[in-house]
Amino acid sequence: MARRRQAVTIKHVAADAGVSLQTVSRVINNEPNVRPEMKARVQASIDKLGYVPSIAAQRMSGSRSYLILALNDRDRTISDWRERQGADWVDQMLLGGMLKCAEHGYRLIFELVDTHSDHIERELTAAIAALQPDGVILTPPHSDNEQITNLLKLREIPFARISPSNGGEGIALNMDDAGAAAMATEKLASLGHKRIGFISGPDEYSVSGWRTEGWHRAMDALGLPSGGLFAQGDFSFESGRKAAEALLSGDDRPTAIIASNDQMSLATLDVAREKGLSIPGDLSLVSFDNTPIVRFTHPQLTAVDQPISDVTARAVELLIAAARDNEWPEEPAVVPCSLVERESTAPPR
């Protein structure tokens, strides 16, 4: 039987680099006060020996767990997965969070929690007890769930809230949804559109109110009427159909519509075709989210791109700084959206 190869440990790295175990530990954990030349020497030994830091060993060496826990809404996430709708919120969140965690010697753990469940406190308590995370990332609608935030505050666990509706506790991050909606409205107005409709998401999500506010603000600033041009959905395809029907059935229909997510935009595209309207000839259409599916429609949809990966990566950085150095940002971190122009917008006829 072949002999099992001995695992490379932190002691091997320290001996090869000619430094102390504490120095190797500081380099592995990306701690401050390590000279660049010392860091380079330790990293060279790590690369040469093929050393892989052990999370278990890191946890034993101090008070940190080197784990960040990200919570997403169970019902909506599972529904998107089962319906295979092409939504990539979770993918982008994992992309940004996992890569940034890896830079700092951390791991990202992803959990689904039902924000409406009577057992939410029990579920979250069990996850925290098992993982002992150094920080928690909350996504909407968890960002505004006081049961969750109060529990994390009680346990003294740093937490980041993506797109919260209020100040509250924790580290706040947003993507300037109001500014993004205003930007989309102004773009359509610059093309010559005067009747710009808007389909919002559900009130449960803070971003719905912000996007509606941004649209209203831009319409008022541009001196354009907004009466009869607003409809509300719940981010589902069917709700988008109902909202689009309401907007496109009147005599004085909008010449452009902004829909608050890609599913409702696809529904608007369907309703417009059923009514014999061409995109963008008769109706310009702007979507929110910019998930992969909007690049495979005909025409391809102009969309507000949400920097989910970047905002999650920033949340990880801020949580690690809070856990390691007790550094807390004084103001909400803003990672702004951008507008990706494609074929679904044009001047009105």
Side-chain angles (χ1 to χ4, degrees), residues 34-102:
V34 180
R35 297 196 309 274
E37 61 270 19
M38 188 66 71
K39 185 174 183 178
R41 186 198 306 178
V42 172
Q43 189 60 53
S45 294
I46 288 173
D47 295 341
K48 182 176 77 174
L49 299 175
Y51 172 67
V52 178
S54 163
I55 287 266
Q58 287 176 297
R59 295 180 72 160
M60 289 176 63
S61 66
S63 59
R64 283 183 282 162
S65 68
Y66 298 92
L67 296 176
I68 299 293
L69 174 63
L71 299 179
N72 214 52
D73 184 37
R74 173 182 289 152
D75 284 352
R76 186 168 297 279
T77 301
I78 291 177
S79 174
D80 287 345
W81 284 345
R82 284 179 172 163
E83 295 177 20
R84 306 177 76 174
Q85 294 180 339
D88 68 343
W89 168 279
V90 172
D91 294 345
Q92 291 297 309
M93 185 177 69
L94 293 177
L95 171 65
M98 292 176 72
L99 291 181
K100 186 56 66 176
C101 276

Side-chain angles (χ1 to χ4, degrees), residues 55 61-62 72 105 109 111 144 195 211 286 302 307-308 321 329 334 340 342:
I55 287 266
S61 66
N72 214 52
I109 305 295
E111 292 277 342
D144 292 316
R195 291 190 57 77
R211 293 171 187 177
V286 176
T302 293
I308 300 163
V334 179
V340 181
R342 298 193 180 95

Side-chain angles (χ1 to χ4, degrees), residues 177-346:
D177 287 85
M183 174 175 58
T185 306
E186 291 162 358
K187 176 60 183 178
L188 289 168
S190 73
L191 292 174
H193 293 278
K194 300 186 182 303
R195 291 190 57 77
I196 303 170
F198 190 84
I199 301 176
S200 80
D203 294 334
E204 177 184 24
Y205 285 76
S206 56
V207 296
S208 299
W210 291 339
R211 293 171 187 177
T212 302
E213 174 194 338
W215 168 72
H216 267 300
R217 186 179 69 206
M219 294 290 277
D220 289 344
L222 293 164
L224 300 177
S226 57
L229 293 173
F230 175 82
Q232 186 169 33
D234 62 11
F235 289 146
S236 69
F237 185 89
E238 284 306 316
S239 75
R241 281 193 61 87
K242 292 177 182 177
E245 281 282 359
L247 290 176
L248 295 175
S249 294
D251 293 333
D252 197 12
R253 63 170 179 80
T255 61
I257 289 177
I258 302 168
S260 285
N261 80 331
D262 291 336
Q263 289 300 316
M264 295 193 297
S265 296
L266 295 177
T268 303
L269 191 61
D270 262 11
V271 171
R273 284 173 175 161
E274 289 171 6
K275 294 182 176 295
L277 301 175
S278 68
I279 308 289
D282 299 312
L283 178 72
S284 283
L285 181 59
V286 176
S287 184
F288 257 88
D289 292 347
N290 196 36
T291 57
I293 197 169
V294 301
R295 298 193 293 275
F296 298 99
T297 59
H298 182 70
Q300 294 183 344
L301 298 184
T302 293
V304 173
D305 184 75
Q306 288 191 294
I308 300 163
S309 174
D310 292 341
V311 79
T312 309
R314 184 65 180 137
V316 167
E317 287 180 329
L318 293 172
L319 285 172
I320 291 175
R324 184 182 63 197
D325 307 318
N326 199 31
E327 293 181 0
W328 299 84
E330 296 181 0
E331 299 292 335
V334 179
V335 183
C337 300
S338 59
L339 185 67
V340 181
E341 296 183 50
R342 298 193 180 95
E343 303 163 352
S344 65
T345 48

Side-chain angles (χ1 to χ4, degrees), residues 92-232:
Q92 291 297 309
M93 185 177 69
L94 293 177
L95 171 65
M98 292 176 72
L99 291 181
K100 186 56 66 176
C101 276
E103 287 182 22
H104 294 271
Y106 273 69
R107 296 292 185 274
L108 184 75
I109 305 295
F110 177 69
E111 292 277 342
L112 297 178
V113 175
D114 182 2
T115 197
H116 301 297
S117 171
D118 295 334
H119 310 298
I120 187 169
E121 189 169 331
R122 185 178 68 193
E123 292 179 13
L124 187 54
T125 299
I128 289 172
L131 300 170
Q132 300 176 20
D134 287 342
V136 176
I137 298 173
L138 303 178
T139 61
H142 298 330
S143 303
D144 292 316
N145 189 312
E146 291 186 357
Q147 271 187 290
I148 296 177
T149 56
N150 287 340
L151 177 61
L152 295 173
K153 182 182 177 183
L154 182 65
R155 298 298 182 93
E156 298 183 341
I157 299 173
F159 57 94
R161 304 162 65 208
I162 295 179
S163 300
S165 64
N166 53 63
E169 299 289 338
I171 299 168
L173 302 98
N174 68 68
M175 294 173 269
D176 190 16
D177 287 85
M183 174 175 58
T185 306
E186 291 162 358
K187 176 60 183 178
L188 289 168
S190 73
L191 292 174
H193 293 278
K194 300 186 182 303
R195 291 190 57 77
I196 303 170
F198 190 84
I199 301 176
S200 80
D203 294 334
E204 177 184 24
Y205 285 76
S206 56
V207 296
S208 299
W210 291 339
R211 293 171 187 177
T212 302
E213 174 194 338
W215 168 72
H216 267 300
R217 186 179 69 206
M219 294 290 277
D220 289 344
L222 293 164
L224 300 177
S226 57
L229 293 173
F230 175 82
Q232 186 169 33

